[in-house]
Amino acid sequence: MKKVTITTEFIKLQDLLKFANLVETGGEAKERIQGGEVQVNGEVCTMRGKKIRPGDAVLFAGQELTVAYAD
């Protein structure tokens, strides 16, 4: 499980995938998300603008990400 630290209230799902270096571009993130390849909290999510907050779990390409606030 990889922890991603953010300094804002939330991060959009497509931005999280880019920030975590799981996709190369925003276009690739859009295609992967809308193609049903991403799960948020155990459910497939096709909304690329989904707000991911600390405590949410994102599963993509066999990697699980969690989000936490910076200390």
Side-chain angles (χ1 to χ4, degrees):
M1 181 182 309
K2 182 176 179 179
K3 183 191 280 187
V4 177
T5 304
I6 61 173
T7 57
T8 56
E9 180 184 348
F10 62 85
I11 185 169
K12 290 182 181 177
L13 181 56
Q14 68 179 10
D15 296 334
L16 176 65
L17 296 183
K18 288 190 302 186
F19 187 69
N21 294 316
L22 296 179
V23 295
E24 298 276 324
T25 65
E28 181 183 356
K30 175 184 173 180
E31 287 179 16
R32 300 286 190 110
I33 294 166
Q34 291 180 338
E37 296 181 40
V38 181
Q39 290 185 16
V40 177
N41 298 325
E43 296 184 14
V44 173
C45 180
T46 58
M47 299 180 299
R48 65 180 201 229
K50 170 92 172 141
K51 295 176 182 177
I52 306 299
R53 292 183 165 86
D56 288 336
V58 175
L59 182 64
F60 172 71
Q63 294 207 24
E64 186 173 356
L65 304 173
T66 59
V67 176
Y69 288 127
D71 293 331

